[in-house]
Amino acid sequence: MPPPADIVKVAIEWPGAFPKLMEIDQKKPLSAIIKEVCEGWSLGNHENFALQNGDSTNFYITEKNRNDIKNGSILRLTTSPSQTAAQLHERIQSSSMDAKLEALKDLANASRDITFAQEFINLDGISLLTQMVESGTDFGDLLSFTLTAFVELMDHGIVSWDTFSVAFIKKIASYVNKSAMDTAVLQRSLAILESMVLNSQDLYQKVAQEITIGQLIPHLQGTDQDVQTYTIAVINALFLKAPEEKRQVRSLYSIHTLYSTHFVCIMAGSTEQLSNVIRSNKPINDEMAHQLYVLQVLTFNLLEDRMMTKMDPQDQAQRDIIFELRRIAFDVECEPNNSGSIEKRKSMYTRDYKKLGFINHVNPAVDFTQIPPGMLALDNMLYFARHHQDAYIRIVLENSSREDKHECPFGRSSIELTKMLCEILKVGELPSENCHDFHPMFFTHDRSFEEFFCICIQLLNKTWKEMRATSEDFNKVMQVVREQIMRALTLKPNSLDQFKSRLQNLSYTEILKIRQSERMNQEDFQSRPIMELREKIQPEIMELIKQQRLNRLCEGTCFRKISSRRRQDKFWYCRLSPNHKVLHYGDLEESPQGEVPHDSLQDKLPVADIKAVVTGKDCPHMKEKGALKQNKEVLELAFSVLYESDEYLNFIAPDNFVHVGMLLYCSYCVWTDGLNALLGKEMTSDYTKSDMDTLLSMEMKLRLLDLENIQIPEAPPPIPKEPSNYDFVYDCN
């Protein structure tokens, strides 16, 4: 007979004594359980004791988290959080440096627990730590552990960041500004500055006065990727929280500082003296990739102001830019105001503006009143004309010499292309919390967007000629160009030159071949006999897909526990039993290297007890965890299993891909498909549809093969002998 659900069997440790096996009644108050444990070891004053998890976290057991205790857990009897906080508060003020260092180590470790953190903060512990930092008497490991404890305590969100003095900010900033600083101290200092900027607009102003981008850039030259990551995170935070006027004029964070040649060289690793960030021999970790993605998004968002600014046809300075485009293209000297009649000059301007490909030949300024792309299109055209003058003149003159219907209008093309590039790069959208999708090539030039445009406008002209397009084909050409750009970007080129080279291999002819190949792979025969055959085969294919999903569930998956605190990893594992009747799951101390055996997973959930599977916003853990930074990506990875009445098993699928046979699938789709299959419901993921289309197409083609007069052997052909060596194998690495 199974034990009652409220009874949990655990082992409890006490220093110097043998562990005790106990049954904890979850209906009893926690204080009564602690009293019972203390009496078992003849310990008085049970109110001075508490229970902790016996794992590496050492988190205290409280009334809020006691339901997380599982059968077989190891707990530890220890002093209460208030007692421990008081002891550490006193110990860190010791006159002995060795004793103080040990106390700070213990404080840094204990501060990860919010229960302890609350008690220590109640003793005005944060003020004590800030005074220790401001005094400047600690250095080395003492300072490192002081800052670590401070970061851990502040991560709980109990104390407002607005309470810190200018002296404390100056001290933290001084550690970042020093040319030689202990790596651990530097990491913590950068983390503190990032949190200050992100959590308080007032502190942003104070931090910005102490830290400049120029002082942060040298930290990117080191070999420590964590320091580089924190440095970029601080740059992003300053960038994100900068007042609107600073971002719009690009005064502090753009070409003059953030995208200075010095910074770009560091990011791209283009000089031997500077260490690599993007092209480092070390693989870029997820946090670094995310920060680079954020930096990319924020810098491109600088373009939003120009993209949404209409041209004023009456603004002479803006109209002079159009005159400059005309002058460069046709090498026209500025005519005196009295040269020729007004009608003659207007006629000449109209002719030239027509050759430049503007829609409005009389007043081309009107073309730039469409937003987006607004003035950004004119900026790109002027950059192209000045920095790639030969290519600009060639394009304009080539098209002005063609028949009217075959000319590729440079003005109209530039405007539409700029709009397209803004859509592709999502200019104006805020960065996502979990995205890591950055493009290395945009960190290799101080005017990467403009150079990107210059490459693409030449591509557009080339594609126009290859398609032998006319003015009626303008939209078709733009669709092909978008496809060429997207396919080249998918390959993640490391430089703009590499991007340009990729485009050379994606000519219009090649795009047609790719489309034809994809069309053939997706070919769908519509005759009635073929449709009947499809309907007959479809259930067999669906059953195959179902078995594939269930087999993957039997292998199991490691899930990450979601916490409101950053960079804290907790794991649990879940897998389906081979008979598909039970879900086995349990907590893990670290991410496993392979499959976790069934017998090491303490908890079970019979499949027969599962009532429903819910996803996204309908999941309880997405409704309850309001303190977390919820975003579209997290919601798209969340799903829950409902069992009994109001009980849920909550999941956040890993943001990665897993092998199912020879194919790659996202964990979320595998699990939601598999769980729905267990419940006899439809598998609705995009992967199921894709698998169905692929397998059905393959099976149809096999069955429709013309095998007349072809003898199919009854026995399989013999396996050839193993070669004497494998020198012919090419190592892709």
Side-chain angles (χ1 to χ4, degrees):
M1 182 176 177
D6 295 321
I7 301 298
V8 183
K9 295 182 179 182
V10 299
I12 301 180
E13 299 175 332
W14 172 251
F18 286 107
K20 284 189 175 184
L21 298 178
M22 287 190 61
E23 290 187 353
I24 292 179
D25 187 350
Q26 293 284 36
K27 291 181 179 179
K28 283 185 178 181
L30 189 58
S31 57
I33 295 172
I34 295 171
K35 181 179 180 182
E36 182 182 342
V37 174
C38 290
E39 289 174 349
W41 273 305
S42 301
L43 300 173
N45 300 322
H46 68 275
E47 62 275 3
N48 292 332
F49 292 90
L51 291 174
Q52 278 182 330
N53 284 306
D55 57 19
S56 58
T57 64
N58 294 328
F59 287 170
Y60 282 98
I61 304 298
T62 65
E63 291 291 353
K64 290 183 178 179
N65 65 21
R66 62 184 294 179
N67 289 327
D68 292 338
I69 302 174
K70 308 297 182 184
N71 279 315
S73 297
I74 298 176
L75 306 182
R76 184 183 299 119
L77 185 66
T78 186
T79 53
S80 66
S82 57
Q83 288 277 96
T84 306
Q87 292 169 5
L88 284 174
H89 193 275
E90 183 178 349
R91 287 172 57 200
I92 62 176
Q93 300 178 71
S94 171
S95 57
S96 167
M97 289 300 173
D98 290 340
K100 188 174 184 178
L101 178 60
E102 289 303 313
L104 286 169
K105 285 182 180 178
D106 293 341
L107 177 62
N109 184 55
S111 297
R112 294 180 300 155
D113 182 12
I114 190 171
T115 308
F116 167 84
Q118 184 68 69
E119 296 294 340
F120 189 79
I121 289 170
N122 290 342
L123 296 174
D124 214 13
I126 293 286
S127 296
L128 177 59
L129 293 178
T130 55
Q131 288 168 15
M132 291 168 61
V133 172
E134 289 174 16
S135 68
T137 56
D138 292 342
F139 53 89
D141 287 342
L142 282 172
L143 180 57
S144 172
F145 284 110
T146 302
L147 295 179
T148 301
F150 176 84
V151 170
E152 294 290 350
L153 291 168
M154 291 302 297
D155 265 355
H156 296 296
I158 300 171
V159 177
S160 170
W161 283 94
D162 288 313
T163 58
F164 297 104
S165 65
V166 174
F168 179 73
I169 297 170
K170 286 179 178 291
K171 203 67 183 178
I172 297 297
S174 71
Y175 300 143
V176 174
N177 291 336
K178 285 183 180 177
S179 57
M181 178 53 65
D182 179 76
T183 300
V185 172
L186 181 57
Q187 285 184 18
R188 306 300 183 275
S189 300
L190 288 167
I192 291 169
L193 291 178
E194 180 198 7
S195 295
M196 283 181 172
V197 172
L198 290 177
N199 288 283
S200 169
Q201 188 63 38
D202 184 48
L203 285 184
Y204 158 78
Q205 302 288 350
K206 296 174 182 176
V207 171
Q209 292 173 4
E210 303 297 328
I211 294 289
T212 65
I213 303 298
Q215 291 166 320
L216 290 170
I217 283 175
H219 297 309
L220 296 172
Q221 301 177 36
T223 57
D224 190 294
Q225 193 171 108
D226 288 335
V227 170
Q228 294 171 335
T229 302
Y230 279 115
T231 301
I232 299 175
V234 174
I235 293 173
N236 288 338
L238 288 168
F239 204 164
L240 190 61
K241 294 297 180 178
E244 191 67 26
E245 63 273 11
K246 283 191 177 182
R247 277 184 277 167
Q248 288 181 354
V249 299
R250 301 187 177 191
S251 61
L252 186 58
Y253 304 108
S254 61
I255 294 169
H256 301 299
T257 52
L258 182 61
Y259 264 6
S260 66
T261 304
H262 185 55
F263 178 83
V264 171
C265 287
I266 294 167
M267 297 301 295
S270 59
T271 349
E272 292 182 5
Q273 292 78 13
L274 301 175
S275 64
N276 294 325
V277 174
I278 292 177
R279 296 179 189 171
S280 169
N281 293 327
K282 297 179 182 178
I284 292 179
N285 59 38
D286 286 348
E287 184 65 23
M288 170 66 88
H290 173 67
Q291 294 299 339
L292 289 170
Y293 153 77
V294 173
L295 180 58
Q296 174 185 291
V297 171
L298 293 177
T299 50
F300 281 141
N301 281 356
L302 293 171
L303 305 169
E304 184 182 13
D305 178 55
R306 295 293 283 174
M307 181 182 77
M308 300 306 292
T309 300
K310 293 182 179 181
M311 185 172 184
D312 181 3
Q314 306 305 317
D315 189 320
Q316 187 59 43
Q318 294 179 0
R319 294 175 65 187
D320 286 345
I321 299 176
I322 299 177
F323 292 151
E324 177 75 357
L325 292 174
R326 172 177 172 265
R327 185 194 66 75
I328 295 173
F330 305 113
D331 196 22
V332 178
E333 295 294 335
C334 294
E335 303 90 346
N337 291 333
N338 58 358
S339 64
S341 65
I342 295 176
E343 290 76 12
K344 183 179 178 181
R345 289 205 307 273
K346 283 184 177 181
S347 174
M348 183 170 54
Y349 290 164
T350 300
R351 180 199 65 203
D352 290 347
Y353 292 148
K354 184 177 184 298
K355 290 180 180 179
L356 281 169
F358 290 112
I359 297 173
N360 191 317
H361 305 153
V362 177
N363 186 6
V366 176
D367 289 11
F368 300 98
T369 57
Q370 172 194 352
I371 55 171
M375 288 295 292
L376 184 60
L378 187 57
D379 294 343
N380 284 339
M381 294 167 70
L382 183 62
Y383 180 90
F384 181 50
R386 286 178 172 173
H387 293 82
H388 299 271
Q389 194 170 111
D390 290 344
Y392 167 70
I393 293 172
R394 185 180 67 252
I395 287 177
V396 173
L397 295 184
E398 268 185 10
N399 288 290
S400 62
S401 63
R402 293 177 187 164
E403 295 179 40
D404 286 352
K405 68 174 184 177
H406 283 288
E407 67 177 8
C408 177
F410 173 73
R412 182 186 176 191
S413 298
S414 298
I415 293 169
E416 291 301 320
L417 178 63
T418 301
K419 182 180 178 181
M420 179 199 295
L421 298 183
C422 289
E423 291 172 357
I424 290 172
L425 298 177
K426 300 180 180 178
V427 174
E429 294 187 16
L430 287 176
S432 164
E433 282 292 326
N434 285 345
C435 187
H436 310 112
D437 186 24
F438 73 97
H439 293 280
M441 72 177 192
F442 291 124
F443 294 95
T444 61
H445 199 283
D446 57 343
R447 300 290 291 272
S448 60
F449 182 79
E450 289 87 343
E451 288 292 324
F452 184 45
F453 167 84
C454 293
I455 293 171
C456 294
I457 192 64
Q458 293 177 75
L459 168 72
L460 193 155
N461 189 64
K462 174 174 170 284
T463 303
W464 184 282
K465 289 189 289 186
E466 291 173 348
M467 293 178 66
R468 297 177 181 174
T470 64
S471 54
E472 289 81 8
D473 300 320
F474 186 86
N475 291 333
K476 292 180 182 178
V477 175
M478 295 303 294
Q479 289 173 6
V480 173
V481 170
R482 175 186 280 269
E483 186 173 346
Q484 290 170 314
I485 294 170
M486 293 299 293
R487 289 185 184 276
L489 286 177
T490 303
L491 300 171
K492 290 286 189 293
N494 288 321
S495 66
L496 289 162
D497 285 339
Q498 199 174 94
F499 172 71
K500 191 173 182 179
S501 176
R502 296 274 193 270
L503 290 176
Q504 294 296 327
N505 299 324
L506 287 169
S507 64
Y508 176 59
T509 304
E510 186 62 27
I511 290 293
L512 287 180
K513 290 179 181 178
I514 294 172
R515 287 180 175 180
Q516 179 66 20
S517 175
E518 292 176 348
R519 194 178 299 117
M520 288 179 66
N521 290 334
Q522 299 171 359
E523 193 174 30
D524 188 11
F525 302 103
Q526 300 298 322
S527 65
R528 184 174 176 182
I530 299 296
M531 296 296 290
E532 290 177 355
L533 180 60
R534 285 173 61 89
E535 291 174 5
K536 181 180 179 181
I537 297 173
Q538 198 160 340
E540 301 173 17
I541 302 297
M542 186 58 73
E543 182 62 26
L544 178 63
I545 296 171
K546 174 183 174 181
Q547 290 304 318
Q548 186 193 45
R549 300 292 193 269
L550 294 178
N551 289 342
R552 184 62 187 82
L553 263 60
C554 290
E555 295 174 16
T557 300
C558 177
F559 296 93
R560 191 183 299 273
K561 287 191 172 182
I562 297 299
S563 169
S564 59
R565 298 177 61 239
R566 293 183 62 187
R567 304 181 182 95
Q568 176 184 353
D569 292 334
K570 279 188 168 185
F571 304 95
W572 67 289
Y573 201 88
C574 186
R575 64 182 300 177
L576 180 65
S577 63
N579 62 6
H580 301 170
K581 292 186 177 181
V582 179
L583 285 176
H584 298 262
Y585 62 96
D587 293 339
L588 301 175
E589 291 189 3
E590 58 184 17
S591 181
Q593 297 302 315
E595 292 184 24
V596 177
H598 293 89
D599 52 10
S600 65
L601 301 174
Q602 302 295 326
D603 299 292
K604 299 179 182 180
L605 173 60
V607 173
D609 292 347
I610 298 177
K611 307 298 182 185
V613 177
V614 294
T615 60
K617 294 181 180 179
D618 296 329
C619 298
H621 54 318
M622 291 295 100
K623 297 176 182 177
E624 295 169 2
K625 294 184 180 292
L628 292 179
K629 295 180 180 178
Q630 295 300 334
N631 54 66
K632 183 179 178 182
E633 283 72 19
V634 173
L635 287 173
E636 288 178 349
L637 295 173
F639 62 98
S640 299
V641 172
L642 170 64
Y643 61 98
E644 293 183 357
S645 54
D646 293 318
E647 295 292 328
Y648 286 88
L649 189 60
N650 295 319
F651 299 76
I652 297 289
D655 186 15
N656 62 6
F657 290 81
V658 296
H659 283 280
V660 181
M662 297 295 291
L663 302 176
L664 283 174
Y665 296 82
C666 71
S667 299
Y668 172 84
C669 294
V670 168
W671 273 86
T672 52
D673 278 349
L675 290 170
N676 281 322
L678 282 175
L679 300 180
K681 296 183 178 179
E682 183 182 357
M683 296 183 290
T684 57
S685 77
D686 291 339
Y687 284 96
T688 296
K689 183 179 183 301
S690 175
D691 286 349
M692 173 60 74
D693 292 342
T694 301
L695 295 173
L696 195 56
S697 175
M698 290 172 60
E699 185 67 18
M700 290 288 291
K701 289 175 181 177
L702 284 173
R703 297 201 183 192
L704 294 173
L705 281 176
D706 185 5
L707 300 178
E708 187 177 354
N709 299 324
I710 297 177
Q711 185 176 359
I712 300 175
E714 296 182 0
I719 298 174
K721 291 182 179 180
E722 187 174 348
S724 58
N725 62 66
Y726 289 88
D727 294 343
F728 57 87
V729 175
Y730 178 73
D731 186 359
C732 295
N733 297 321

